[in-house]
Amino acid sequence: MFNHLMILLAQGGQPPAGGQQPAGGLFDSPIMFLLPVGIVLFYFLFLRPMRRQEQERNSLLSNIKKNDKVITNAGIYGTVISVAEKEDEIVVKVDDNVRLKMVKNSILRNLTNEEAAKDAEAAKKAAKAAKKGGKAVEAAASTAVTGKKDDPLKF
């Protein structure tokens, strides 16, 4: 089919001499069957993960509240002092008497939510280990308690 298309283009769009039409149709080429597969792969490899990341980012920014410990895109650790409801800005306390007013989009991570998620995961593991019984309960409980590290905001 590609050869026939090239011949048509070379002749200015007129059919070949002798009145013969090129044989074959639109779906004779195997590339026409691979095109939908490529589109589906593009969706699942690129568009869907990007949409998921965007939803996670929006939920992170919408769930920021007072006293959350955060990291900004610039790498600044701080604690949220206030969140403006009408405007897209927050105030972050970095140190004593140092407060920064910034847009919500400058927040990279919410450390408070991450710690809560880790604690919930440790509790699930402890509950699962409790069902199995024995020494696994003691090991899971000890890791849940000692798993907490020092506060990254303390110097």
Side-chain angles (χ1 to χ4, degrees):
M1 178 156 169
F2 183 73
N3 292 337
H4 298 294
L5 181 63
M6 294 306 292
I7 291 171
L8 282 176
L9 289 176
Q11 294 177 351
Q14 297 182 8
Q20 294 178 352
Q21 295 289 331
L26 180 65
F27 294 104
D28 285 346
S29 176
I31 193 128
M32 296 309 274
F33 292 110
L34 295 177
L35 186 64
V37 173
I39 292 171
V40 169
L41 280 175
F42 181 78
Y43 173 76
F44 281 106
L45 292 177
F46 294 107
L47 297 179
R48 198 164 167 232
M50 284 179 11
R51 185 178 301 150
R52 186 180 310 131
Q53 287 176 352
E54 185 179 336
Q55 288 174 347
E56 289 173 0
R57 176 89 178 136
N58 288 338
S59 74
L60 167 83
L61 296 177
S62 65
N63 291 333
I64 292 177
K65 57 190 178 300
K66 187 176 179 179
N67 295 327
D68 278 351
K69 294 175 184 164
V70 295
I71 300 176
T72 66
N73 285 333
I76 299 171
Y77 285 81
T79 305
V80 176
I81 299 299
S82 67
V83 179
E85 295 296 325
K86 303 266 182 190
E87 299 165 1
D88 186 33
E89 57 187 38
I90 62 173
V91 177
V92 177
K93 180 181 177 184
V94 178
D95 199 14
D96 295 335
N97 299 324
V98 179
R99 295 178 183 190
L100 302 173
K101 188 177 196 180
M102 57 183 63
V103 295
K104 284 184 183 179
N105 283 334
S106 65
I107 300 300
L108 181 65
R109 293 173 45 196
N110 188 339
L111 297 175
T112 306
N113 287 350
E114 290 177 8
E115 289 174 5
K118 285 181 184 177
D119 291 343
E121 186 176 325
K124 282 184 182 179
K125 286 183 180 179
K128 188 182 276 188
K131 288 182 181 178
K132 292 181 181 177
K135 296 179 182 177
V137 174
E138 296 171 6
S142 66
T143 56
V145 172
T146 60
K148 293 185 178 180
K149 295 189 177 187
D150 293 333
D151 186 7
L153 296 177
K154 296 197 177 184
F155 300 103

